[in-house]
Amino acid sequence: MTTVLTSLNQALHRSLAASPDVVVLGEDVLDPYGGAFKVTQGLSSAYPERVLTTPVSEAAIVGMGVGMALRGLRPVVEIMFGDFLMLAGDALVNHAAKFRWVSGDRARVPLVVRTPMGGRRGYGPTHSQSLEKHLMGAAGLRTVAASALIDPGPILESAILADDDPTLFIEHKLLYAQQVGEGLIGDEFVLEAGVGRYPTLSVRLAGAPPPSLTVTSYGYMASLCLEAMHRLAYEHELFAELVVFAQLVPLGLAPLAESLHQTGALLTVEEGSGILSWGSEVVSGLIELLGPAFRAQRLCASPVPIPASLTLEQAVLPQVADVMRAALALNDVGRSAPTRRPNG
């Protein structure tokens, strides 16, 4: 079995081996430390001239990556914690995302910015956030999220070697220790993977009645949704289809539209707060596409800073039980319970 951490690390090794244009830069990425979460471990020993440690300045790191990309390299930038991504906002939004458009396609920026997001480790309000939604509206910037349910290594490798436009690659911290495909081993589920560089995965329980609910998510929350989906089936006879996205923006809604034609009910689940969230965009996009022909509910974090106390953090971030309560309420099955209020 391969962990998500190993899959990502091997993808970086393969990318460096495949192209002399690939460079990796970030804070403390050199051996023996190998990055705060060890994703870059071994890279500097194997490719010492193309793995570069940097000062603690996210704006400078990403700005340097943009410059390298404009000069023909394929840089991979690591931001140690996604909470500090806003410090590089100008380089990402006003430079990396725009050069292709303002140059009339004469300049491309094949830059990948990797960063861990999310909580559940007691790191407190400034090292636990899921801030990707703040950059999803930047035209020209693709947002991709790693998941244990879709092998993230080949996705990262493809973003580095084959995508000529800037990509923000989100990695939830709790994913690193998870096995790739964890929870999907065996023949209990029917999987349907989309095609393309950033595939979507649809999961159903094998041999179950047709689903009456569509659940969609990404990143670590997708694993919690899979557990909830399993328990909903066995404890409440509520059968769902789980649709997991690798690419968050640009958003391809076709898999969800197809699922909703059968289920008529949608639950979006994410770890970030709900105001102007990914789930908001999914629901509004589907209403524009399908009309008000389905019921929808969003499940997000409570709209407060994430506490350092693990007990309080657990109360703020969506858990498996929250997914189940929201699903049951949406389907009017069992006791209807209030879910986290994204705008509360």
Side-chain angles (χ1 to χ4, degrees):
M1 296 290 290
T2 301
T3 65
V4 168
L5 174 63
T6 301
S7 180
L8 294 172
N9 178 260
Q10 290 176 347
L12 291 169
H13 274 282
R14 290 195 302 270
S15 299
L16 283 159
S19 171
D21 293 333
V22 175
V23 293
V24 175
L25 59 158
E27 300 163 15
D28 292 334
V29 296
L30 302 185
D31 291 335
Y33 193 62
F37 295 92
K38 312 307 176 191
V39 180
T40 59
Q41 201 155 50
L43 299 180
S44 65
S45 297
Y47 306 94
E49 296 180 351
R50 289 191 282 140
V51 181
L52 312 173
T53 191
T54 65
V56 184
S57 173
E58 286 74 12
I61 301 167
V62 177
M64 189 159 50
V66 173
M68 288 177 166
L70 287 171
R71 296 291 291 177
L73 299 177
R74 306 190 79 87
V76 182
V77 168
E78 177 176 294
I79 300 297
M80 188 179 287
F81 284 87
D83 307 77
F84 307 134
L85 203 56
M86 296 301 118
L87 293 166
D90 183 60
L92 274 174
V93 175
N94 287 326
H95 298 91
K98 290 188 171 63
F99 278 133
R100 176 182 174 184
W101 306 95
V102 300
S103 70
D105 259 357
R106 286 177 294 178
R108 303 295 289 268
V109 183
L111 167 72
V112 174
V113 177
R114 297 180 34 254
T115 189
M117 289 278 193
R120 307 174 193 271
R121 293 187 64 159
Y123 286 174
T126 61
H127 289 71
S128 306
Q129 301 166 95
S130 297
L131 297 179
E132 56 270 21
K133 71 174 184 179
H134 294 290
L135 292 167
M136 287 185 191
L141 180 64
R142 188 187 314 279
T143 302
V144 175
S147 164
L149 304 186
I150 311 172
D151 190 349
I155 295 175
L156 175 60
E157 184 179 0
S158 180
I160 296 169
L161 296 175
D163 200 328
D164 289 331
D165 292 315
T167 300
L168 175 61
F169 196 91
I170 303 300
E171 304 161 5
H172 193 287
K173 301 177 189 75
L174 290 199
L175 284 175
Y176 292 133
Q178 280 196 299
Q179 303 288 333
V180 173
E182 189 169 308
L184 294 175
I185 307 303
D187 55 2
E188 192 170 17
F189 295 99
V190 176
L191 312 179
E192 186 176 340
V195 296
R197 187 173 298 155
Y198 307 109
T200 301
L201 178 69
S202 296
V203 183
R204 296 186 182 196
L205 202 62
S212 59
L213 171 67
T214 303
V215 180
T216 189
S217 189
Y218 65 89
Y220 179 70
M221 285 305 309
S223 296
L224 299 190
C225 288
L226 182 69
E227 181 181 345
M229 173 185 168
H230 190 269
R231 289 181 56 186
L232 284 166
Y234 283 94
E235 297 174 16
H236 300 275
E237 295 189 354
L238 172 56
F239 301 100
E241 178 176 25
L242 173 61
V243 180
V244 181
F245 281 86
Q247 177 176 284
L248 309 185
V249 175
L251 184 59
L253 294 172
L256 289 177
E258 183 179 348
S259 180
L260 282 173
H261 280 308
Q262 179 174 51
T263 66
L266 174 69
L267 175 62
T268 69
V269 182
E270 61 195 299
E271 190 172 299
S273 60
I275 298 172
L276 302 174
S277 66
W278 178 76
S280 306
E281 188 62 26
V282 167
V283 173
S284 62
L286 285 167
I287 289 175
E288 292 172 351
L289 189 64
L290 304 176
F294 63 96
R295 291 166 291 138
Q297 171 78 49
R298 295 179 299 137
L299 179 62
C300 313
S302 299
V304 297
I306 298 173
S309 157
L310 283 171
T311 301
L312 294 177
E313 183 183 45
Q314 190 173 29
V316 166
L317 301 180
Q319 309 295 326
V320 171
D322 298 312
V323 179
M324 294 178 66
R325 276 195 291 270
L328 290 169
L330 188 57
N331 275 264
D332 294 323
V333 176
R335 185 171 63 89
S336 178
T339 58
R340 295 167 194 278
R341 302 292 299 172
N343 299 315

